[in-house]
């Protein structure tokens, strides 16, 4: 199936609860996998404006993630520190590996990358730097404080 990424709706914002939503300003996603009708994994074309981040630093219990930088430059932040990723570079994050990660655009130009992740059910996400955990629910992600109280 042919997909013109420019015809896939651009999504801004996040499903994160307050007070975390504002931290994702400047991230634009185009859900290419959904546009292709994919069921088992997702593919997103993501643009980060200067100063924007991909997500809160996180890791998945059951789902794998992979990113491939297409244009620009981002900083990959993990438990091991920071690494600059430029066009043509990639990174992968195996399920169950407790290594919080995200991308930040510290440059003065937009950066674009492909984000690929599987859709294994019953996933849980841990956010090591924030009072936030997430679980996959029937209607999407459900967010809780680390003490179990819902947002």
């Amino acid at each position: 199936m042919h997909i013109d990424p420019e015809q896939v709706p651009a999504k801004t914002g996040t499903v994160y609860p307050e007070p975390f939503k504002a931290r994702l300003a400047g991230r634009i996603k185009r859900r290419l996998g959904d546009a292709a009708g994919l069921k088992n994994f997702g593919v997103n074309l993501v643009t980060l404006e200067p100063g924007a981040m991909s997500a809160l630093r996180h890791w998945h219990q059951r789902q794998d993630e992979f990113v491939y930088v297409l244009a620009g430059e981002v900083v990959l932040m993990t438990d091991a520190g920071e690494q600059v990723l430029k066009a043509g570079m990639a990174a992968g994050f195996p399920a169950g590996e407790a290594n919080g990660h995200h991308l930040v655009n510290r440059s003065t130009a937009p950066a674009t990358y492909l984000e690929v992740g599987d859709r294994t059910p019953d996933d849980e996400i841990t956010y090591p730097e924030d009072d936030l955990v997430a679980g996959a629910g029937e209607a999407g992600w459900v967010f809780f404080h680390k003490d179990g109280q819902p947002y």
Side-chain angles (χ1 to χ4, degrees), residues 47-133:
T47 300
L48 294 181
E49 296 295 334
M53 69 173 74
S54 61
L56 300 176
R57 212 164 67 82
H58 69 286
W59 61 275
H60 290 263
Q61 185 67 41
R62 292 187 169 79
Q63 295 179 358
D64 291 327
E65 289 183 282
F66 182 85
V67 296
Y68 181 83
V69 180
L70 298 169
E73 175 180 298
V74 293
V75 177
L76 169 63
M77 301 177 77
T78 68
D79 291 351
E82 298 183 5
Q83 179 180 2
V84 174
L85 300 180
K86 297 180 180 188
M89 298 176 80
F93 312 100
E97 188 175 295
N99 183 10
H101 59 272
H102 73 166
L103 303 173
V104 177
N105 183 353
R106 290 187 181 153
S107 76
T108 58
T112 304
Y113 62 93
L114 283 177
E115 172 184 79
V116 181
D118 73 81
R119 294 181 173 165
T120 301
D122 301 319
D123 191 24
E124 296 176 6
I125 304 174
T126 300
Y127 300 86
E129 295 174 343
D130 295 288
D131 181 21
L132 187 67
V133 293

Side-chain angles (χ1 to χ4, degrees), residues 27-38:
R27 181 188 73 180
I28 304 159
K29 281 191 180 190
R30 295 180 188 273
R31 298 183 185 277
L32 304 182
D34 288 356
L38 301 182

